[in-house]
Amino acid sequence: MLITKRAINYENKDEVKLNPKILLIIPAYNEADGIEDVIRKVNDYKKNYKYILDYIVINDGSTDNEEEILRKNDINHVELVNNLGIGGAVQTGYIYALENDYDIAVQFDGDGQHDIQSLPNLIEPLINDVADFTVGSRFVSDSKSSFKSTGARQAGIKILSNLIYMLTGLRIKDVTSGYRAGNRKVIEQFVSRYPSQYPEPESYMHLIAKNIRVKEVGVRMFERTSGKSSIHLLDSVAYMFNVSISILIASLIEREDK
């Protein structure tokens, strides 16, 4: 299935506001057990959604029968021959978004963890031009998420959140959230440069260097229904050390003048 390009003047914010073209980027590695259900929920939601909404699954070199399921069910996807990891898979989605003229790209997990019903919370600040990038959060007051992850993971998230705040003054409570959305400016930025190893926390340093307006919004998340977490070492000292170092190195990026 091919999604046709649409010519649009991205300087015309009124056109984007009235009829934005939105892409869900769905990275998936060995998600054969759950990807069909995720796409079914997306397609059901699309039927009554007021904006143009498409999706692309990035099959990140899966070793299970995910590719067979994607083909059998005519699920729009890109097949990566080799496993690039979450950073490379998501960046592939941003490249697809840029090449197909999308106004907004949304990162959406293929494991059933993200609630498609929370999509308006992410999209509206971008459409109304009060933010360039939004982060779906379990830890802000307007979140309806009962699933908060384990206590150990929450502690790790808080440490990373405090580190980013100390370095930038930007407070993001759910820094490892993969439920995020960006406008055309962000799409172009992430096509040019997207962190590969620890993309969620590290990417905030890249966004801040480019004076991207970031807003955290409440969303609902569920416990994953399939696959394994790409951040399975969150509760380990090694993971925390490595992510912290990557954030510190990224903080050295020269900030652009406003």
Side-chain angles (χ1 to χ4, degrees), residues 146-246:
S146 58
F147 172 67
K148 304 289 186 182
S149 194
T150 65
R153 289 195 177 194
Q154 287 187 56
I157 290 169
K158 190 169 184 179
I159 290 171
L160 297 178
S161 174
N162 287 336
L163 177 60
I164 291 173
Y165 178 73
M166 283 181 3
L167 293 171
T168 68
L170 175 68
R171 173 65 75 186
I172 299 294
K173 293 182 178 180
D174 206 348
V175 293
T176 62
S177 169
Y179 199 2
R180 316 192 303 171
N183 62 13
R184 180 70 175 205
K185 184 178 180 181
V186 171
I187 292 171
E188 293 174 351
Q189 163 66 14
F190 282 164
V191 165
S192 173
R193 186 174 190 180
Y194 191 74
S196 59
Q197 202 162 14
Y198 310 108
E200 283 85 12
E202 186 181 338
S203 62
Y204 294 110
M205 314 308 294
H206 297 261
L207 294 171
I208 291 164
K210 294 291 185 180
N211 296 310
I212 300 293
R213 297 170 299 166
V214 180
K215 181 177 177 62
E216 191 170 22
V217 298
V219 298
R220 184 187 311 176
M221 294 191 194
F222 308 110
E223 196 163 2
R224 65 172 45 245
T225 58
S226 65
K228 295 182 180 180
S229 173
S230 63
I231 53 171
H232 57 283
L233 296 178
L234 184 59
D235 57 352
S236 74
V237 174
Y239 178 90
M240 291 303 303
F241 177 80
N242 290 334
V243 177
S244 298
I245 291 297
S246 71

Side-chain angles (χ1 to χ4, degrees), residues 23-168:
L23 177 71
L24 294 183
I25 298 170
I26 308 177
Y29 176 68
N30 289 348
E31 299 290 357
D33 291 340
I35 192 64
E36 190 177 350
D37 187 55
V38 168
I39 299 304
R40 178 186 59 78
K41 290 177 181 177
V42 168
N43 284 330
D44 287 345
Y45 184 79
K46 283 176 58 176
K47 294 175 183 177
N48 298 310
Y49 191 55
K50 59 184 177 180
Y51 300 128
I52 301 168
L53 178 63
D54 298 315
Y55 71 83
I56 183 71
V57 174
I58 311 298
N59 179 8
D60 190 20
S62 296
T63 57
D64 62 2
N65 64 329
E66 180 182 312
E67 181 64 23
E68 178 186 347
I69 289 173
L70 294 173
R71 290 179 181 271
K72 179 181 177 180
N73 293 280
D74 195 27
I75 293 174
N76 193 39
H77 71 283
V78 170
E79 180 185 3
L80 301 179
V81 177
N82 297 313
N83 176 256
L84 299 183
I86 186 64
V90 170
Q91 188 177 39
T92 299
Y94 278 110
I95 292 170
Y96 183 94
L98 183 65
E99 290 181 347
N100 289 276
D101 295 330
Y102 284 93
D103 305 307
I104 294 170
V106 182
Q107 297 172 218
F108 191 82
D109 281 358
D111 59 12
Q113 204 169 15
H114 296 160
D115 181 14
I116 190 65
Q117 301 293 332
S118 294
L119 185 63
N121 292 22
L122 286 167
I123 297 301
E124 295 303 328
L126 306 181
I127 293 174
N128 294 327
D129 197 32
V130 298
D132 301 306
F133 188 76
T134 52
V135 186
S137 176
R138 295 162 287 183
F139 306 131
V140 293
S141 59
D142 60 336
S143 171
K144 296 180 180 179
S145 184
S146 58
F147 172 67
K148 304 289 186 182
S149 194
T150 65
R153 289 195 177 194
Q154 287 187 56
I157 290 169
K158 190 169 184 179
I159 290 171
L160 297 178
S161 174
N162 287 336
L163 177 60
I164 291 173
Y165 178 73
M166 283 181 3
L167 293 171
T168 68

